Amino acid sequence: MKSVLSFLFLIILLSCSNKDLNAKINNAYSILDSSYVEFRAGNNDIAKTLANNALSVGLELENDTLTGDALMSLCRTALRDRDNSALENYSDQLIELATKSNDRTWEMVRAHMNAEMARMNNDLERAAELYDVSLRISDSIGSKGMYAAEHFNKSFVEAARGNIAEAHNLVKRYYQIRKEIDPESEDVYGLIAVSNLLFHKNDLHGAAEVSMAARRLFKEQNIVPDPADEKPLKKVEEDYKTTLLQETQDSLKISSATMTVDSIIRKYLKD
């Protein structure tokens, strides 16, 4: 009887312990969610603090998924800070995690984040190589979201390298994959790539119209572009504001006010 009671006590103890553990993990993920909200709102220092708190929990509990997700968040904040040394530190930890957990997800994340920094630093060859690494891994492990995103991201590199047809195909394929993932979605964020593509096609009117529509939709949805994506959008805006007549800008602002993602795709990605 005594041994049975001891066994039951142990089960209860383990059950309580697991509940505490799950609560701690769930709380850490709530912190990470808050970090992402702050990052999207442009509050990078707050986002960084929150992500570091989640990382501490992941390392303490030796929870590989939580640790990796926290490192991914910290890579984002490093990009916004243009902090190469911080990104290198997080990248090293991601490679260690990928090896330890035998999970190529973290190798993919590392490639993606470093490609973003290379693009921001205008190292286009390196960026293209790293996006290709991420594309191969995401395709092989079935990470369709990242696979779509890297089509979007690499389009900027190919456009800047003068490979306009390739850039066009990448943006078009991005939207096709997004529709495969969610047929009902209207991906506002992808409009940055459309605007950039039109800019490199020397269609400044189209680039301006799409960028105006994107900014309106971003404001409605409280979206702040990632650092690497803000740069080409600002370039379009700087160019049309100094090149196009004010009358033309006013006309484009009116036409862009009723545009949707689908109407923009039909107009500018029909080829």
Side-chain angles (χ1 to χ4, degrees), residues 114-251:
N114 282 272
E116 294 282 274
M117 185 67 87
R119 173 155 67 101
M120 289 169 65
N121 292 335
N122 208 36
D123 187 350
L124 300 180
E125 295 297 323
R126 179 63 175 156
E129 289 173 4
L130 289 165
Y131 282 134
D132 282 340
V133 170
S134 181
L135 278 164
R136 286 194 297 271
I137 297 173
S138 59
D139 189 30
S140 69
I141 66 175
S143 180
K144 209 159 187 180
M146 182 65 87
Y147 188 63
E150 298 303 46
H151 282 76
F152 165 90
N153 292 320
K154 199 183 178 196
S155 75
F156 295 96
V157 174
E158 296 305 339
R161 295 163 90 188
N163 301 326
I164 305 304
E166 177 64 13
H168 180 103
N169 290 336
L170 285 163
V171 178
K172 190 172 181 178
R173 181 63 181 136
Y174 166 76
Y175 270 110
Q176 288 172 345
I177 300 169
R178 292 299 303 163
K179 282 294 183 183
E180 290 170 8
I181 295 171
D182 183 1
E184 302 303 317
S185 73
E186 277 212 343
D187 194 303
V188 174
Y189 202 86
L191 296 181
I192 304 174
V194 179
S195 179
N196 181 71
L197 175 66
L198 294 169
F199 178 77
H200 284 278
K201 286 183 174 181
N202 297 316
D203 181 358
L204 188 56
H205 284 74
E209 184 177 50
V210 174
S211 71
M212 289 175 185
R215 287 296 191 191
R216 169 178 58 83
L217 292 165
F218 288 165
K219 188 174 182 180
E220 290 175 5
Q221 299 184 23
N222 195 30
I223 293 172
V224 176
D226 289 348
D229 305 325
E230 180 68 29
K231 185 178 176 181
L233 193 58
K234 280 188 173 179
K235 175 61 178 170
V236 170
E237 292 168 338
E238 288 167 2
D239 259 50
Y240 81 67
K241 286 176 182 177
T242 57
T243 304
L244 300 180
L245 295 173
Q246 188 60 51
E247 181 182 351
T248 303
Q249 293 182 46
D250 292 342
S251 175

Side-chain angles (χ1 to χ4, degrees), residues 28-100:
Y29 269 109
S30 293
I31 291 171
L32 267 188
D33 289 341
S34 298
S35 173
Y36 189 66
V37 169
E38 295 295 341
F39 174 80
R40 279 295 184 203
N43 303 321
N44 210 46
D45 287 342
I46 297 173
K48 197 187 311 179
T49 299
L50 291 169
N52 269 308
N53 289 340
L55 177 62
S56 296
V57 176
L59 292 172
E60 176 196 341
L61 301 179
E62 297 186 356
N63 186 301
D64 294 339
T65 304
L66 176 57
T67 298
D69 287 339
L71 286 169
M72 181 165 57
S73 294
L74 287 165
C75 284
R76 289 196 200 100
T77 60
L79 286 172
R80 184 157 284 165
D81 286 339
R82 301 293 287 267
D83 191 337
N84 287 280
S85 61
L87 182 63
E88 184 178 355
N89 174 36
Y90 302 137
S91 295
D92 289 345
Q93 293 183 63
L94 282 167
I95 287 298
E96 289 174 9
L97 184 62
T99 303
K100 171 179 173 283

Side-chain angles (χ1 to χ4, degrees), residues 1-14:
M1 183 67 177
K2 187 176 181 180
S3 62
V4 172
L5 288 174
S6 298
F7 181 68
L8 288 172
F9 179 74
L10 180 60
I11 290 175
I12 293 169
L13 193 65
L14 287 172

